Amino acid sequence: MTTKVLVFSLFFGVSINHKTAFAAFRIQNVFAQDVLDIHLDSLLTMQQGLGSPHSLQVATGHEALMKLRREMPTPYTCTVTTPMGVTFDVQTPPDDRFESWSDNCGVRVRNVVLADEGRWRLTATAGNDSISGWVEVYVEDDRTSYTAPTISLQDGQTHANVELTTLDNLYCMVAQPASESSVVAGHCEVTLDRITRAVKGNWDVFLGLPGKINELHVQRQVAVEAERLDVGFIHDSNANKVHLYCNILVTEKNITFCRFQRTNAASGYNVMDGLSDGVHSYYGEGFDQRQCGMTLEQPTAEDFGTWRCTVGVQAWVGALVEQQTPLQALISVSSNNRVGFIYITARLEETEAQTVFTQVDREFTVMCRADRALRYCWFQHPNGTQYTPLPLADENQQFWYTGEDFQAGDCGITFSHATEADAGLWTCHMGPSDQVGVEVTDRLNVRVTGPLAANYQQIDTVVGEKATVYCRTSNGVRPLDYCRFMTPSFVGLSVDETVTEENAILNRFYFTPGRELNLGDCSLTISSVQYEDLGVWTCAAVVNGDTEEARDTVTLYVSDSAHARTLSQAGIAGMVFGLAAMLAALGGVVWYKRHTLFPPKRSNRSTDPTVGFSRRTVSTTSSGGSSNSSVLENLELPTITSQRT
Ligand SMILES: *[C@@H]1O[C@H](CO)[C@@H](O)[C@H](O)[C@H]1NC(C)=O
Ligand SMILES: *[C@@H]1O[C@H](CO)[C@@H](O)[C@H](O)[C@H]1NC(C)=O
Ligand SMILES: *[C@@H]1O[C@H](CO)[C@@H](O)[C@H](O)[C@H]1NC(C)=O
C-alpha cells in the first residue's frame, strides 16, 4: 500500500520538479525491480509535489489558498504546520483566519501578513496511510496605488519609449486617450512610432501584479510639448529699455547664434552674452539655457516696430552634431502694447493683389506674410476649394507648405502642377497665434500663362500719353533671346535695350528703360499713344533654352474716364515731375515684388535675408504706394496705370 502511494507521488513529481530526471529514473527502478529504494531528498521533492501551488506569491491582506494535490480516502485528518511551526487540525483552527479549504486536505488563510511567509506543510492521515506536501509562500507588500509625475513627451519624436511604471508587474493593459487598449507583457512600457498631440492626456494603465487578483489601476498624465519659441518683449519704461526675447522651449538643441533685425532695416545684430555696442546687448540667462534675447537701451521710435529674431541651433544627428535650420519669429514691439495687426492688413486689402505667374504643369507658389506669428493658415482657390498646406513629406504630394515657418508669419502654399483652372484670385487666411477670432486675409492673383506673359493684359490709356506694354518670363527670371511686338495695325517691331527714347522707332516706340532682355523683360514704351495704337498688341520672344517662340497679348484701350482725363490733363501737368520721384520709389517695390512673386524652388530655402521679409517691406511700402497711387488716380495720370506693376 505504501509502495503504491509512493509510486503515484513519483508520477506527480515528474512534471513539476527540476529533479525530474532523477525521479523518472526512480520510477523505472520501482517498476523494473519492484524494489522500494527512496532517498530522503527525493521523498521531500515528491512531497512538495503534492502541495498546490508549489509556490505562492500573495499580497498582504489578501487570501492564500493551499491544498494537497491528492485525494485521501475519507475519513482523514488534515493537519497544517505554519512557517512559525504551529501545527493544527484544519477542522479546529487556533484562529479564525484559518479555514478548511477544498475537498482535499487544504487550508484557506485570510488576511495574509508578512509573518505568513515561509513553508506551509499539509498532512493528510487516514488510518496507517499518510500523505503530506508543502507550499512555499512569499508575501508581498500590498500596493493599492502608484503615483508618478506627468510624463513629458516631445512632439514629433519618433520611436519613443514611454515607461508607464517601474513596478515589477506581470503584464499591463494600456489605454491611451484616443486609441484601442493594448496588453503589454512584462515591464509596462510602450513604444510610439511618432509622438503627436493625440497621445496627450490621461492614460489608464491596469497592472497585473504578483500576489494580487485585482488589477492595479494607475493613471498617468501625459503631456506632449512641441519645440517652440517663447517670443515677446518687455518694455521697462523706468530704465528706458526694451528687452526682446526668443527663447527655445522643449528642445535638445543648443543655440549657436542669436540675431535680431528690425524688419525694415538692412542689417541686424549678432547678440552675444557679455557684449554691447552701447545700445544693444544680450538679454537672458545664457545660450546654455536656450535663451536668445536683446536689450535695447534708449530705444528710438524706430525700435518700436516689428523685429525678427533668428536663433541658430545645432542638434545631435546620430553621433554628429549638425547645424539645423535656424528658428525664426517676429516680435511686434509697441510702446503701448499691441499694434493693430488688423490695421496693417486692412491697409494691405486696399492695395491691388499681387500677381503670381506660372505655366501649365509648372510649380507655383501663393505666398502671404503676416507681421506676427501664425497658428495656422489656409488658402481659398478661385473656385472656392480650400487648401490647408502641410509640410512637404514626399515627392508625390500635390501641394505643401512653403515659407520659413508659422512663427515667422509665413503662410505659403506651393502646388506641384498648375492647371488653367488655378488662374484667378486666391485668398490666404491667416490665424495669428496671439489672438483668436480674427482671421487675417490677403489676396493674390494667379495667372497661368505660356512661357511669356503680359504683366497687364488690359491697359487703360490716354491718347497723347505714355504707355508701356510689358511682357516677361512667367516662371522665374530667364533671359530672352530677342523681343518683338506687333501693333494692332500689324506693324512688327523688334526691340532691345539699344532702342532708347532718343532713337525711338517711329519716334515713339522704344525699349522700356531699366528693363533687360537678360532678366526676361520684353517691354515697349510708347511715348505718345496714337489712336492707331489702341487695340490688341502681341509681344513675342524666345525664352533662352526654349525651342518655340512664346507670346501673349495686351489690349490698349481708352476708357471714358480717360477721355475726361485728357481734358483736365493740362492743369495737372506740372505735378507729373513730382510724381515721377514717387514712381522711382515704386520701382523699388517692383523689384521687391518680382522677387517675392517668384519664390525659391522647393527645398531651396531662402538664404537671402531680404527675401525673407520682402512682404513686410512690400506691405509698408505698398501701403504708402497705395495711397500714392490713389492720389495719382485722383489726378488721373495715365502714366501710372500703365507703369504700375
Ligand atoms: C496498521 O498497522 C498496524 C501495525 O503495523 C496493524 O496492526 C494494523 O492492522 C494496521 N491497520 C490498518 C487499518 O491497516
Ligand atoms: C548641448 O550642450 C550640452 C552642454 O554643453 C552638451 O552636453 C550637448 O551635447 C550639446 N548638444 C548639442 C546638440 O550640441
Ligand atoms: C477647384 O479646382 C481644383 C484644382 O483645379 C480642383 O481640384 C477642384 O476639384 C475644384 N473644385 C471645384 C469645386 O470645382
Side-chain angles (χ1 to χ4, degrees), residues 397-416:
Q397 216 165 308
Q398 291 189 333
F399 59 91
W400 56 88
Y401 176 81
T402 303
E404 209 69 77
D405 55 28
F406 281 176
Q407 279 286 345
D410 287 4
C411 169
I413 190 167
T414 301
F415 287 84
S416 54

Side-chain angles (χ1 to χ4, degrees), residues 381 383-385 387 419 421-422:
H381 189 274
N383 71 11
T385 307
Y387 291 95
T419 66
D422 294 329

Side-chain angles (χ1 to χ4, degrees), residues 45-109:
T45 306
M46 292 181 304
Q47 290 190 341
Q48 185 184 15
L50 287 178
S52 172
H54 309 294
S55 87
L56 171 64
Q57 277 180 299
V58 55
T60 53
H62 286 66
E63 290 187 5
L65 301 174
M66 297 169 266
K67 64 175 181 183
L68 284 180
R69 208 175 266 276
R70 281 209 50 224
E71 272 179 43
M72 268 306 263
T74 47
Y76 66 88
T77 56
C78 175
T79 55
V80 177
T81 306
T82 72
M84 306 297 280
V86 179
T87 303
F88 58 88
D89 187 317
V90 282
Q91 299 306 331
T92 54
D95 189 323
D96 60 7
R97 285 213 296 142
F98 305 112
E99 185 183 286
S100 170
W101 182 69
S102 87
D103 292 340
N104 294 355
C105 172
V107 66
R108 168 183 214 144
V109 184

